[in-house]
Every structure is written in structure tokens, then in C-alpha cells.
């Protein structure tokens, strides 16, 4: 497979698992194309044309050659300069890395991270929170995230890859969509009553089982093992990151009948609000959840005969039937 084909495949998996649904994603792309066509020429020049076909602003081609044939990939949760140098060192040791795949955004994908956050509106809407309310609360966060990441040195590791002639992409929301769908469907199929049961069944998933051994598995941040679950919403899994005012969502979640939230991570303000509104929080584990999402995409590469070398915390587990 070529670099571009791998990237396109990841976007396809992301769309298939998108909380908005494939139709809504198509509508979103249509609206981006319409907005673009209405831009004045000067603004059109500044516009990132990739946004016309890729609905995930936080996932991009980062460095190297899009047409390069790939047989071996190195995949990590965070790829900084050290990660890029690791790929070069592996090559020196006889394991040539054709492509680096990072999960967390770098480069322009980091600069544009906030643009995927509106997707979270659909996640909360699935749990019963009206779209206008979720959108209103999330909007404050989107703007604050944009300001927070604006001064960052976005291009540090992509520049290293470019200098060393290594190809690099990053896949963020497509992988997070995949874990969101996987965990949501998994929980829905079980008839669970208490928070402790939810934690137990999460630990049966290989990535979370491994993370538990590593000290970063599922834990309860609000509520207790004996607490009644109520309606479960997997809400902190996809859509970029959490922004300012995120804690305001808990009052609404309680109001619209959500009893338990499953998330990758939450802040202390979130936890305080959840406790105040009697919402349980189960933290599935950040890196384990990111790994599970990536695994769903990497399985597709494995099926095409590509070798996967995990690094930077990535827990590789294959679901490919052998
Ligand atoms: Fe993630
Ligand atoms: Fe993450």
C-alpha cells in the first residue's frame, strides 16, 4: 500500500464509525465545499483544500512522500523528535520504517485540532442532550482550545521527519471514532446494573486488560462499584479534546437522564460537577483507549500484509483472524 492509500483507508474507517453517521458526514463535507466555493479569491488561496474531502482536521499527512510504497509502519501514540529518531535507529538496525503513524496531532493537524470538536455535539445528542445545548456549551470550549494551541511549536516532529526523509502521517479522530463505536456497542450488548460490572467487563477487552497490568486500566472517578449505572453514555472518547466549560455538561446530562459517563480522561472540574449531579464516571484509560481505536485501523493494514511496530505507549492487539 502507498502512504496515501493508508491515510485514505484510515479516514474511511473514521467515517464508518463516526457518531454523526455517514450521511451527516457527507452533508458536512458538502457544506465545507459550499463555503469554500463562496469564499473570495484571496481567502480561497489560504484555504486548506484537504478539508474538502477529509472531515477530520486533526488527522493529516505530515512529511515525506505520499506515493511511497509501505511494507512496515511504526505506530505510536505521541511522536516527537525522539520518535522520529527511533524510526531512523530501527532502520540502522535493519528494520526499515516506511511510514511513521502518530495518533495525537502534530503539525497542521494540531493547529486545527479544535475544528473536529463540534462532532461531540452528536455524541451528547445520542445520549439525549438537545443539540442546541450541547453545541452551546461545547462552543465555548472550541474557542478556548483554538487559543490554547495557537502558540504551540506545532511542526517540531514533522520537520524532523522531513529532514530525515521519513514519511509520516497522524490519525487522530478516525481512531477515536473507532474506539467510541467499539466500546458503545460492547456496553450496549451487556445487561449491566452496577458501575463495578461495567469496569469488570471493560477489563475483559485485551487493551484494557493489558493497561490494568500496566497500572493505567479502567477506574471509577465518580460513584462506586455498587452505584447504579442508569443510562450509560460513552462521551469522552472522540471529537478532539475537552475544552473550557466542559464541566457544564454534567448538569444537563443529569437532567436528560444520563447516569454514567465512560471517558478516556476527564479534568477535576468535570469530576466535581459529576459528583454534584450524581453522575458516575468510569475512566476507561487514555492510552489503552487510543490503542484500541488504532488497533481497529491497524488490523486493516495487517490484512494487507503490512508489518506494524508499536511504540510510544501504543498497546498493539490484533483482531485479525489467523
Ligand atoms: Fe485519542
Ligand atoms: Fe489521546
Amino acid at each position: 500500500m502507498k502512504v496515501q492509500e493508508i491515510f485514505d483507508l484510515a479516514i474511511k474507517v473514521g467515517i464508518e464509525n463516526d457518531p454523526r453517521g455517514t450521511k451527516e458526514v457527507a452533508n458536512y463535507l458538502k457544506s465545507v465545499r459550499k463555503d469554500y466555493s463562496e469564499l473570495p479569491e484571496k481567502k480561497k488561496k489560504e484555504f486548506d483544500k484537504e478539508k474538502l474531502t477529509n472531515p477530520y482536521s486533526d488527522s493529516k499527512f505530515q512529511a515525506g512522500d505520499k506515493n511511497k510504497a509501505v511494507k512496515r509502519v511504526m505506530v505510536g501514540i505521541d511522536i516527537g523528535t525522539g520518535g522520529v529518531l527511533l524510526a531512523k535507529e530501527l532502520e540502522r538496525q535493519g528494520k526499515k520504517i516506511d511510514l511513521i503513524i502518530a495518533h495525537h496531532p502534530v503539525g497542521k493537524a494540531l493547529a486545527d485540532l479544535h475544528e473536529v470538536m463540534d462532532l461531540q455535539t452528536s455524541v451528547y445528542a445520542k445520549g439525549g442532550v438537545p443539540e442546541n445545548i450541547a453545541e452551546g456549551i461545547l462552543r465555548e470550549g472550541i474557542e478556548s482550545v483554538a487559543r490554547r494551541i495557537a502558540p504551540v511549536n506545532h511542526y517540531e516532529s514533522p520537520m524532523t521527519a522531513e529532514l530525515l526523509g521519513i514519511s509520516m502521517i497522524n490519525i487522530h479522530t478516525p481512531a477515536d471514532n473507532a474506539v467510541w463505536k467499539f466500546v458503545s456497542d460492547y456496553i450496549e450488548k451487556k445487561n449491566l446494573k452496577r458501575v463495578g460490572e461495567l469496569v469488570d467487563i471493560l477489563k475483559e477487552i485485551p487493551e484494557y486488560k493489558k493497561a490494568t497490568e500496566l497500572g493505567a486500566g479502567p477506574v471509577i472517578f465518580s460513584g462506586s462499584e455498587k452505584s447504579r449505572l442508569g443510562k450509560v453514555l460513552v462521551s469522552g472518547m472522540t471529537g478532539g479534546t475537552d475544552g473550557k466549560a466542559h464541566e457544564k455538561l454534567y448538569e444537563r446530562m443529569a437532567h436528560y437522564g444520563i447516569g454514567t459517563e465512560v471517558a478516556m480522561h476527564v479534568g477535576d472540574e468535570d469530576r466535581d460537577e459529576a459528583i454534584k449531579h450524581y453522575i458516575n464516571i468510569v475512566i476507561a484509560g487514555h492510552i489503552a483507549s487510543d490503542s484500541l481505536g488504532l488497533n481497529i485501523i491497524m488490523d486493516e493494514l495487517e490484512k494487507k500484509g503490512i508489518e506494524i511496530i508499536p511504540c510510544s505507549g501504543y498497546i498493539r492487539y490484533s483482531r485479525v483472524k489467523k
Side-chain angles (χ1 to χ4, degrees):
M1 284 180 99
K2 290 182 176 168
V3 171
Q4 184 69 53
E5 289 168 335
I6 290 174
F7 186 77
D8 292 344
L9 177 69
I11 298 300
K12 186 174 150 267
V13 174
I15 293 173
E16 283 163 4
N17 291 287
D18 197 293
R20 293 170 289 189
T22 49
K23 223 175 171 180
E24 220 18 69
V25 176
N27 284 340
Y28 167 77
L29 285 173
K30 214 187 265 173
S31 78
V32 173
R33 286 195 277 268
K34 184 172 177 284
D35 290 349
Y36 171 73
S37 71
E38 288 167 359
L39 282 177
E41 276 315 308
K42 204 171 139 199
K43 293 261 183 210
K44 263 187 185 154
K45 280 195 190 114
E46 287 175 6
F47 189 89
D48 178 1
K49 310 273 186 307
E50 204 196 301
K51 288 179 183 164
L52 302 172
T53 52
N54 170 5
Y56 308 112
S57 62
D58 63 351
S59 306
K60 289 191 192 293
F61 172 77
Q62 299 287 348
D65 179 4
K66 288 180 180 175
N67 288 312
K68 191 177 175 191
V70 177
K71 290 210 165 64
R72 187 184 286 126
V73 293
M74 187 186 88
V75 188
I77 304 297
D78 295 286
I79 301 289
T81 285
V84 180
L85 291 175
L86 171 63
K88 200 70 192 162
E89 175 61 19
L90 287 170
E91 179 181 334
R92 206 182 59 82
Q93 294 180 12
K95 275 197 174 218
K96 189 173 185 311
I97 302 298
D98 302 311
L99 174 66
I100 298 173
I101 303 178
H103 177 58
H104 288 147
V106 287
K108 188 140 197 311
L110 179 56
D112 291 347
L113 169 66
H114 57 285
E115 291 178 26
V116 294
M117 287 172 63
D118 180 61
L119 178 154
Q120 293 177 43
T121 300
S122 300
V123 175
Y124 290 102
K126 272 184 185 292
V129 180
E131 283 181 314
N132 56 307
I133 292 176
E135 183 183 52
I137 294 173
L138 289 164
R139 193 181 295 130
E140 289 181 49
I142 292 170
E143 288 162 8
S144 81
V145 168
R147 286 191 294 272
R148 197 176 75 212
I149 48 183
V152 166
N153 183 9
H154 310 94
Y155 291 88
E156 190 227 336
S157 62
M159 272 182 87
T160 312
E162 202 68 67
L163 280 166
L164 291 172
I166 302 175
S167 295
M168 179 172 172
I169 60 172
N170 92 289
I171 300 168
H172 192 227
T173 286
D176 288 346
N177 281 352
V179 60
W180 170 80
K181 182 82 168 56
F182 183 98
V183 173
S184 300
D185 290 353
Y186 179 78
I187 293 170
E188 215 183 286
K189 279 192 211 116
K190 315 264 175 181
N191 184 21
L192 305 169
K193 296 274 183 275
R194 308 276 168 174
V195 172
E197 294 169 34
L198 173 59
V199 172
D200 287 345
I201 61 126
L202 283 176
K203 285 180 182 173
E204 287 169 14
I205 297 173
E207 288 86 344
Y208 295 129
K209 188 169 173 246
K210 182 73 191 168
T212 304
E213 288 166 27
L214 298 174
V219 282
I220 302 166
F221 267 26
S222 168
S224 70
E225 284 185 12
K226 296 254 181 294
S227 303
R228 286 174 170 80
L229 273 174
K231 184 155 101 184
V232 180
L233 182 67
V234 181
S235 52
M237 283 280 177
T238 192
T241 187
D242 292 343
K244 203 174 129 203
H246 187 264
E247 71 278 3
K248 287 188 192 171
L249 280 160
Y250 291 91
E251 185 180 359
R252 305 304 179 137
M253 283 158 79
H255 185 83
Y256 292 103
I258 296 160
T260 301
E261 173 186 53
V262 180
M264 284 200 204
H265 47 79
V266 295
D268 267 353
E269 295 93 343
D270 293 310
R271 181 175 173 266
D272 293 345
E273 278 296 298
I275 291 169
K276 198 162 118 193
H277 297 287
Y278 312 105
I279 291 187
N280 308 303
I281 298 180
V282 171
I283 295 299
H286 178 193
I287 305 307
S289 301
D290 281 342
S291 296
L292 173 45
L294 278 174
N295 281 332
I296 291 165
I297 295 171
M298 292 312 133
D299 284 353
E300 297 305 312
L301 302 195
E302 194 187 303
K303 282 182 206 162
K304 309 240 175 199
I306 292 172
E307 185 190 345
I308 291 139
I309 310 240
C311 73
S312 177
Y314 169 41
I315 302 166
R316 172 68 186 144
Y317 175 81
S318 168
R319 289 177 176 78
V320 179
K321 289 202 179 74
K322 294 192 177 106

